[in-house]
Amino acid sequence: MDVLIEIRDLHKSFGSQEVLKGVNLMIERGKMTVILGVSGCGKSVFLKHIIGLLKPDAGEVLLEGEDLTKVKEVRMNQILKRFGMLFQNAALFDSMTVEENAAFPLVEHSKFSPEEIHRIVQEKLRLVGLPKIETKFPSELSGGMRKRLALARALVMDPEIVLYDEPTTGLDPIVSDVIEDLIRETQQRLGHTGVAITHSLKTCFKLADRVAMMEDGKIIEFTTPEGFRASTDPRVRQFLASTSKGPIKIKE
Amino acid sequence: MVLRALEEAGGIFILFFQSLYWLFRPPFRGTIFLQQMEFIGTKSSFIVGLTGLFTGMVFALQTSYALRLFDLEYMIGPSTVLSLTRELGPVLTALLVTGRAGSAMCTEIGTMRVTEQVDALHTMAVSPVQYLVVPRIISGVLMLPLLAALFSLMGALGGYLIAVFMLGQSPNVFITETLYSVDANDFYIGLIKAAVFGLILTLVGCYKGYRAEGGSAGVGKATTEAVVLASVTVLISDYFLTSWMY
Ligand SMILES: Nc1ncnc2c1ncn2[C@@H]1O[C@H](COP(=O)(O)OP(=O)(O)O)[C@@H](O)[C@H]1O
Ligand SMILES: [Mg+2]
């Protein structure tokens, strides 16, 4: 197994609420790992630890042996250039046009000329299937188009690792399917390592090479999609059956 | 309460030192600086000038009543201009710019925070402090003295108009008496104060926006708090600056 990122015993509390209770996970190079779990179980909090948006109370995030929870900000900014992230609500810059949004990482970090940046951005916008709308603003786009644009921005630096936070939540089933295809296709074509979190079984099975299930602040199952379907863990069975009756309790 | 206030003061100081740290690191983003200078400086100049003019007029009129009792009407010019350069100019300018630009800053950064745009900056290896906070603070520190000078200048003009055209003072008296009693030092003190206020109001606006949470309601709350906190801090620090610099 070619491990790119190893997460060891990650703990995080907000005030008295313990969200992560010792998360362990191996992210394999070039594969798409999907973390499945009910809403509010701590998936987003976990993802934010991988990319340094949150600092853990205890535990390590090892990228090729380097602990990302301890590196200094300047070093982290070098490391972050290897990452791309797709946010749940796209997190587009609403003061910038479509083209400026997609070009932002290149403008900040590359030494390309404006013409080259324009060419790369066009290529990425074509890759995600965005028609000629470079001069529009994000507020003028539909939900699906915003996701596509966010994906183009996440991919524009050709990152080695792409994180996806709920890539299909809030989209209608058909657009969801299109976005899932798009994510899977771009990931296989470009060969990056992917980590996606979702509460949707369909999204999970369409994307995953590996499935991890998070419940009550821990990873309770980590296997292949086939292995996941065949799991005997009662919490996994409950999730697969999509029923409220079972060991998983929703805290209201 | 006390704990929260301490935590907040600590947070603001940390943001200040982070801004200092990022100020001296590349990349330097010229266009963003210019945009902020324009927003804080150029676009505030009309309202600042107008307020200055009327403040000077009111001040001259008010003091003339008192000064007339003692036959000291020649002091209208000096008292108006001194108050303007040392106190009214910096303080009122800071309060105006807090309402106009400090609040807008807080709303903008707060909205970016709650819609994860600040997080997005971080993941794209761009320091949000360097990208969002530093240009605003620098613009505040550079622009507030200019705006305060404009305020005082317009206020002096207002005082002159009242003294000469309403109270019948000779232009000569107003100008010579004013130049005699006001020296460059008074002017510098006002500028230093204005720069400090510029730091305070941008730092507080950015801090409150940076820490906003809880959707649009949270951003609204943060903006209100930013305006109140910045105004109060400006007034309190004015007291200390005045007592130190005499
Ligand atoms: N910044 C924060 N401050 C306090 N609590 C938080 C914060 N972020 C997340 N939480 C809490 O952590 C829990 C897990 O949240 P999250 O990871 O967003 O869930 P999900 O699995 O749906 O992505 C929730 O109960 C949430 O209220
Ligand atoms: Mg989430």
Side-chain angles (χ1 to χ4, degrees):
Chain A
M1 192 156 95
D2 183 9
V3 177
L4 181 60
I5 306 175
E6 183 180 355
I7 293 100
R8 281 196 196 152
D9 201 29
L10 210 59
H11 289 261
K12 179 71 176 179
S13 301
F14 294 106
S16 62
Q17 184 194 5
E18 196 180 4
V19 178
L20 302 182
K21 304 179 180 174
V23 177
N24 291 286
L25 191 66
M26 308 264 202
I27 311 284
E28 274 177 76
R29 196 187 302 273
K31 295 266 185 334
M32 178 69 93
T33 304
V34 176
I35 300 164
L36 200 58
V38 295
S39 295
C41 74
K43 303 182 297 292
S44 294
V45 169
F46 172 68
L47 206 63
K48 284 178 181 167
H49 279 88
I50 297 184
I51 201 156
L53 281 167
L54 289 173
K55 292 271 174 248
D57 300 330
E60 298 173 323
V61 175
L62 301 171
L63 172 66
E64 291 168 341
E66 186 173 10
D67 186 356
L68 300 190
T69 66
K70 301 216 169 53
V71 299
K72 293 247 176 347
E73 199 169 346
V74 173
R75 170 76 184 129
M76 191 65 191
N77 277 347
Q78 292 171 348
I79 297 170
L80 282 170
K81 289 174 194 163
R82 300 171 62 183
F83 280 88
M85 178 153 178
L86 182 67
F87 283 85
Q88 180 167 353
N89 293 310
L92 300 167
F93 299 122
D94 34 39
S95 60
M96 297 182 192
T97 64
V98 167
E99 169 146 16
E100 286 165 349
N101 261 287
F104 184 83
L106 286 172
V107 172
E108 284 296 324
H109 297 304
S110 74
K111 296 200 167 51
F112 293 127
S113 68
E115 293 75 39
E116 284 171 301
I117 289 181
H118 179 74
R119 190 185 53 70
I120 298 170
V121 167
Q122 288 303 317
E123 179 200 315
K124 291 294 192 257
L125 287 175
R126 203 159 45 240
L127 181 75
V128 301
L130 271 189
K132 299 196 177 329
I133 50 159
E134 298 89 338
T135 55
K136 287 204 176 185
F137 283 90
S139 58
E140 303 170 274
L141 305 183
S142 69
M145 285 158 98
R146 291 169 62 84
K147 278 272 153 85
R148 286 173 192 260
L149 175 55
L151 187 61
R153 186 178 70 177
L155 296 178
V156 81
M157 296 284 282
D158 293 321
E160 290 167 59
I161 309 147
V162 183
L163 309 181
Y164 308 84
D165 188 349
E166 305 275 5
T168 58
T169 302
L171 301 176
D172 66 66
I174 296 170
V175 174
S176 292
D177 196 63
V178 174
I179 297 288
E180 285 154 8
D181 286 337
L182 185 60
I183 289 175
R184 191 57 172 155
E185 228 175 81
T186 48
Q187 190 260 334
Q188 285 178 341
R189 171 136 36 123
L190 306 173
H192 53 249
T193 305
V195 182
I197 60 178
T198 182
H199 60 241
S200 154
L201 280 170
K202 171 165 177 294
T203 302
C204 171
F205 286 121
K206 272 201 78 167
L207 296 182
D209 296 308
R210 297 284 177 273
V211 181
M213 181 158 160
M214 180 178 272
E215 171 52 24
D216 195 28
K218 288 197 173 107
I219 299 292
I220 57 165
E221 183 69 278
F222 179 46
T223 171
T224 59
E226 299 75 43
F228 191 74
R229 281 187 221 266
S231 169
T232 53
D233 188 299
R235 292 165 295 184
V236 175
R237 300 286 357 140
Q238 181 189 352
F239 205 97
L240 285 169
S242 306
T243 165
S244 63
K245 292 174 195 61
I248 300 176
K249 294 284 176 269
I250 302 297
K251 296 171 266 318
E252 292 289 347
Chain B
M1 249 311 269
V2 178
L3 222 63
R4 236 186 70 91
L6 278 180
E7 190 197 319
E8 197 146 278
I12 291 175
F13 272 106
I14 290 171
L15 187 61
F16 175 64
F17 287 115
Q18 282 176 335
S19 305
L20 275 186
Y21 173 83
W22 283 110
L23 172 60
F24 298 107
R25 292 192 154 268
F28 301 100
R29 301 178 177 86
T31 19
I32 302 183
F33 273 88
L34 289 179
Q35 274 170 9
Q36 288 304 321
M37 301 260 193
E38 191 198 1
F39 177 64
I40 297 176
T42 323
K43 292 192 171 160
S44 302
S45 54
F46 178 73
I47 179 79
V48 166
L50 191 72
T51 314
L53 182 69
F54 280 93
T55 307
M57 288 166 69
V58 169
F59 197 87
L61 204 54
Q62 272 297 332
T63 48
S64 75
Y65 299 137
L67 292 172
R68 191 175 302 152
L69 293 178
F70 306 99
D71 252 347
L72 291 172
E73 275 177 296
Y74 67 91
M75 284 298 289
I76 292 179
S79 69
T80 305
V81 175
L82 263 183
S83 313
L84 282 168
T85 52
R86 295 188 72 121
E87 288 296 334
L88 294 174
V91 172
L92 289 181
T93 303
L95 295 182
L96 282 171
V97 177
T98 301
R100 212 196 132 266
S103 62
M105 245 171 233
C106 180
T107 311
E108 190 180 0
I109 296 181
T111 305
M112 292 183 73
R113 162 63 74 195
V114 299
T115 56
E116 296 185 313
Q117 293 175 52
V118 173
D119 287 347
L121 279 176
H122 168 93
T123 63
M124 288 186 275
V126 172
S127 159
V129 171
Q130 189 181 34
Y131 191 83
L132 296 173
V133 180
V134 171
R136 286 171 169 78
I137 291 182
I138 298 302
S139 307
V141 171
L142 293 181
M143 282 302 166
L144 254 276
L146 292 180
L147 289 170
L150 174 70
F151 187 104
S152 301
L153 202 69
M154 293 300 287
L157 176 67
Y160 177 86
L161 294 176
I162 290 294
V164 173
F165 293 104
M166 245 189 90
L167 306 170
Q169 198 175 64
S170 102
N172 240 337
V173 172
F174 187 94
I175 293 172
T176 43
E177 287 298 332
T178 301
L179 289 181
Y180 178 72
S181 349
V182 182
D183 59 26
N185 216 18
D186 299 314
F187 197 64
Y188 294 144
I189 286 180
L191 293 189
I192 292 171
K193 276 187 177 178
V196 174
F197 298 160
L199 173 68
I200 290 172
L201 76 93
T202 48
L203 194 57
V204 170
C206 291
Y207 171 80
K208 282 289 182 181
Y210 209 70
R211 290 295 181 87
E213 54 183 20
S216 48
V219 176
K221 186 164 154 280
T223 305
T224 309
E225 288 175 5
V227 171
V228 172
L229 183 62
S231 308
V232 171
T233 314
V234 161
L235 293 171
I236 294 177
S237 58
D238 181 47
Y239 170 79
F240 287 107
L241 289 172
T242 303
S243 51
W244 280 334
M245 291 198 294
Y246 255 100

